[in-house]
Amino acid sequence: MTDTAALVSLAASCAREAGDMLRDAFAAAQHKTTAKSTPTDLVSESDYAAERMIRKHLESQRPDDGILGEEEGGHAGSSGLRWVVDPIDGTTNFLYGIPMWSVSIACEDENGDTLAGVVLDPVRDELWSARRDDVARLNGEPVAPSGCAELGEALVATGFGYDAEVRAIQAEVIARLLPQVRDLRRLGSAALDLCWLAGGRLDAYFERGVKHWDIAAGALLCRQAGLSVRPLAALGAAPEGLLVADARLVDDLQSRLS
Ligand code: IPD
Ligand code: CA
């Protein structure tokens, strides 16, 4: 049996090491950036440095595991386990000095099921963690979702892709949804959206086109917190995504997202 507590502890120490470096870079606010998939999709030296740091740490402790990282791609391992790393989730916030970004690290088995995950919010010193065989936790203490079951009372988080065609579809969806819900939030870090949902600071989340590294750890947190976590079907140019809400709310919300 895999020791999931050991996986969480390794992920946490990798995230903290990178998080300390990133917090200093965030405070210094001098970033060298380049554009990635589109002119709106930025990446900085800090993203690369944090990912290198995390990879080095993981490889030194678990050389046989595979790794998939947002900035440097993937390599397969021989152990059957794979680490999924987003060194800065919320890069745009990070570069603009907005304190809403995180380091996300998950570990999954050969079936792609997530065994363990952490999301570190270095600015608030909040470490969100979950294991497949435990409840979701914040700084070691169990967390609980809001329990919101009514669409009209739901504070719903979402996010947008970097591609203009995808955004046009996303804009149409939220134009229809906004009058039906308490309000919408676009906080800018999908990993933190999911943690805040698991911890009751939001009531639901959906986003098409999110990448595996954005959501691998956060989706486990939501699942272990008892929320309903489902794939969201593609819509026109907007690729498939993720929908998370209380089990009593999720069908209603899903029906408004197409
Ligand atoms: C982005 C953030 C954002 C979400 C985007 C992601 P990045 O990740 O999670 O909230 O809306 O879909 O790409 O680019 O900051 O790592
Ligand atoms: Ca990301």
Side-chain angles (χ1 to χ4, degrees):
M1 267 252 301
T2 313
D3 180 354
T4 56
L7 298 178
V8 163
S9 150
L10 174 57
S13 63
C14 291
R16 285 200 186 284
E17 189 182 31
D20 286 348
M21 181 273 288
L22 290 172
R23 203 175 32 228
D24 291 347
F26 181 69
Q30 284 174 340
H31 309 294
K32 275 198 190 148
T33 61
T34 43
K36 251 186 342 181
S37 62
T38 69
T40 49
D41 183 7
L42 297 174
V43 63
S44 70
E45 280 304 317
S46 296
D47 295 75
Y48 291 117
E51 184 165 323
R52 279 196 299 269
M53 197 178 254
I54 294 166
R55 281 176 181 269
K56 202 169 155 201
H57 195 143
L58 289 173
E59 279 159 9
S60 72
Q61 300 297 307
R62 298 192 55 97
D64 298 332
D65 295 352
I67 302 182
L68 171 69
E70 171 164 13
E71 310 307 342
E72 293 187 355
H75 74 78
S78 55
S79 66
L81 299 188
R82 180 173 79 152
W83 295 88
V84 181
V85 177
D86 192 338
I88 307 178
D89 186 54
T91 297
T92 307
N93 284 343
F94 180 87
L95 297 174
Y96 276 78
I98 298 170
M100 195 69 192
W101 50 274
S102 59
V103 180
S104 175
I105 304 177
C107 184
E108 58 189 22
D109 66 17
E110 55 276 348
N111 304 316
D113 292 332
T114 312
L115 294 169
V118 307
V119 177
L120 177 68
D121 175 347
V123 173
R124 293 171 190 75
D125 197 19
E126 290 189 338
L127 181 77
W128 302 84
S129 66
R131 297 153 33 194
R132 195 161 60 179
D133 49 357
D134 188 27
V135 295
R137 294 176 184 273
L138 167 57
N139 290 339
E141 298 300 321
V143 294
S146 66
C148 177
E150 292 296 325
L151 192 68
E153 295 170 7
L155 185 59
V156 181
T158 191
F160 308 126
Y162 292 111
D163 179 277
E165 246 188 292
V166 172
R167 287 181 168 186
I169 302 276
Q170 291 174 318
E172 286 170 17
V173 171
I174 64 165
R176 286 194 297 272
L177 183 66
L178 184 54
Q180 318 287 331
V181 295
R182 170 158 285 150
D183 210 339
L184 294 176
R185 291 290 180 269
R186 196 287 192 251
L187 298 174
S189 166
L192 280 186
D193 289 339
L194 291 166
C195 294
W196 283 30
L197 174 54
R201 296 176 187 168
L202 295 166
D203 298 315
Y205 166 84
F206 75 94
E207 183 173 351
R208 288 191 167 89
V210 269
K211 301 289 192 300
H212 190 43
W213 43 75
D214 300 322
I215 55 169
L220 179 69
L221 260 131
C222 287
R223 206 169 288 122
Q224 297 313 111
L227 288 156
S228 184
V229 178
R230 326 185 148 162
L232 185 59
L235 183 65
E240 66 176 22
L242 188 74
L243 164 63
V244 186
D246 186 284
R248 294 162 297 173
L249 172 63
V250 73
D251 288 329
D252 195 6
L253 181 54
Q254 186 164 12
S255 70
R256 323 268 176 159
L257 299 179
S258 49

